[in-house]
């Protein structure tokens, strides 16, 4: 099946008991057994639930994996990946990460003996030069949050595996979605999503996802999911499965609107730097063009007046772009990374990568583009 068909039919089949086209919401904690240990494939809902299974099969299908796993949040999914490791193991991550990921790395798992090293993944050599005998995981975010940096997944995966095939490559594919790029096809071992974002697509659910292609790794992930218990519930699973069915048509509009917003900002007299991989002057444009189908709906920028006052004035006066956390929904959102999504990163570390008071992040929705541009224009003109 082609991708657009997979979003609707991938890993899916009518429910066996009734023939329901959409899987019912199996709102149950346990399942009857005919004899001790003998059941119809489901024993206790922490281990598996039919609604969640349908969603996990969809995850696997759209990312070209063998197994998908649905978690209570994106952070729960990342937590599961880190639980594959042991004290003394080293992780190499990009220097521009979602603030929640950085917080988990530094404030939770570092104290349990994991060591994290942050490099600019614009260069493959920066990654390979940081590898030691203790390196067990490469954590890639591309495009990055919030500076839209691009890492060459295929080149990094190939170079790392040439050094040590046992090192795991994990990619946070939240910004791109499988509509735009498929990390498993490019050499990664694990794909992670905050399914809260584009996969759900309607800002009404919190969920995380992991997708893998190797069976032994899948068994390890499932054991951690079952033992630690950070699972997605059946109602949330139903909502995200429903969201995935329109992922392809939503992403088309997100991409169209994102490009036009970026071009508008690039030519606006009050705007300084624009961060969008679809712009030809973007440092990672060529790599993005190679590994992505399009460039997504996330755009960041800085005002020429870099004062906090000017930035807040803009943020407080948008009408259609709602000032809020999160991204990837059908509605447009505006975010101030320093005080919102990346507030947990120390100021000194933020400034090293360019996350300043004047940085604004837009999640461009699927509204009429003329209305979105008019909203930006009126907010910038105040």
């Amino acid at each position: 099946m082609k991708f657009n068909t997979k979003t609707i039919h991938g890993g899916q089949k009518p429910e066996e008991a009734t023939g329901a086209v959409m899987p019912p919401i199996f709102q149950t904690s346990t399942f009857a057994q005919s004899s001790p240990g003998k059941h119809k494939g489901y024993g206790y809902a922490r281990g598996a639930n039919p609604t969640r299974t349908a969603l996990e099969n969809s995850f696997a299908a759209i990312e070209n994996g063998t197994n998908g796993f649905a978690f209570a949040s994106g952070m729960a999914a990342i937590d599961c990946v880190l639980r594959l490791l042991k004290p003394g193991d080293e992780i190499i991550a990009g220097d521009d990460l979602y603030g929640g990921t950085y917080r988990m790395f530094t404030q939770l798992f570092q104290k349990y003996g994991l060591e994290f090293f942050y490099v600019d993944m614009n260069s493959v050599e920066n990654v390979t030069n940081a590898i030691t005998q203790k390196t067990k995981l490469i954590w890639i975010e591309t495009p990055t949050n919030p500076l839209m940096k691009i890492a060459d997944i295929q080149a990094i995966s190939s170079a790392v595996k040439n050094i040590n095939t046992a090192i795991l490559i994990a990619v946070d594919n939240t910004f791109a979605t499988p509509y735009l790029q498929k990390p498993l096809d490019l050499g990664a071992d694990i794909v992670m999503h905050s399914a809260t974002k584009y996969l759900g697509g309607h800002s009404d659910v919190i969920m995380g996802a992991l997708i893998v292609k190797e069976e032994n790794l899948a068994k390890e992930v499932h054991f951690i999911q079952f033992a630690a218990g950070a699972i997605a519930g059946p109602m949330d699973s139903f909502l995200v499965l429903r969201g995935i069915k329109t992922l392809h048509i939503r992403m088309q509009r997100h991409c169209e609107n994102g490009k036009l917003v970026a071009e508008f900002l690039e030519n606006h007299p009050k705007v300084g730097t624009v961060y969008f991989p679809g712009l030809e002057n973007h440092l990672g444009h060529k790599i993005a063009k190679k590994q992505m189908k399009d460039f997504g709906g996330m755009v960041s920028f800085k005002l020429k007046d870099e004062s906090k006052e000017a930035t807040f004035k803009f943020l407080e006066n948008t009408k259609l772009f709602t000032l809020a956390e999160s991204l990837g929904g059908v509605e447009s959102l505006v975010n101030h990374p320093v005080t919102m999504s990346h507030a947990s990163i120390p100021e000194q570390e933020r400034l090293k990568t360019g996350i300043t008071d004047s940085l604004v992040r837009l999640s461009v929705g699927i509204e009429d583009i003329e209305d979105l541009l008019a909203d930006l224009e009126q907010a910038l003109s105040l």
Side-chain angles (χ1 to χ4, degrees), residues 241-252:
L241 183 60
R242 183 176 66 172
I244 287 173
K245 291 181 183 294
T246 60
L247 175 64
H248 55 296
I249 55 175
R250 287 187 285 106
M251 287 307 298
Q252 290 170 22

Side-chain angles (χ1 to χ4, degrees), residues 292-329:
M292 298 172 69
K293 181 178 180 179
D294 208 327
F295 303 105
M298 299 300 300
V299 182
S300 294
F301 69 95
K302 293 180 179 178
L303 297 174
K304 285 182 179 177
D305 180 348
E306 297 194 10
S307 68
K308 194 172 185 178
E309 293 72 23
T311 306
F312 273 40
K313 188 176 183 180
F314 169 80
L315 293 165
E316 292 167 354
N317 284 284
T318 57
K319 307 298 182 185
L320 291 178
F321 281 87
T322 302
L323 179 62
E325 299 274 4
S326 200
L327 57 102

Side-chain angles (χ1 to χ4, degrees), residues 167-184:
I167 296 174
L168 292 173
I169 312 289
V171 177
D172 182 339
N173 203 30
T174 300
F175 272 25
T177 81
Y179 176 77
L180 299 180
Q181 81 185 2
K182 296 182 179 62
L184 296 180

Side-chain angles (χ1 to χ4, degrees), residues 203 298 312 314-337 340 360-367 371-372 375-376 378-379:
S203 302
M298 299 300 300
F312 273 40
F314 169 80
L315 293 165
E316 292 167 354
N317 284 284
T318 57
K319 307 298 182 185
L320 291 178
F321 281 87
T322 302
L323 179 62
E325 299 274 4
S326 200
L327 57 102
V330 293
E331 66 289 310
S332 293
L333 301 178
V334 60
N335 172 282
H336 186 235
M340 298 169 74
V360 174
R361 190 193 74 191
L362 301 178
S363 174
V364 183
I366 65 172
E367 302 95 336
D371 292 330
L372 295 180
D375 187 34
L376 293 172
Q378 66 83 24

Side-chain angles (χ1 to χ4, degrees), residues 46-48 52 56 67-69 71 79-81 83-85 210 212 215-231:
R46 174 161 39 83
R52 194 173 92 225
E56 291 176 333
N67 298 82
F69 303 91
F71 292 83
D79 176 89
C80 178
V81 174
R83 288 173 188 262
L84 293 166
L85 309 177
L210 294 179
V212 304
E215 288 295 338
N216 287 331
L217 180 57
K219 290 177 182 177
E220 289 187 72
V221 171
H222 181 260
F223 173 78
I224 294 169
Q225 183 191 44
F226 170 73
I231 57 164

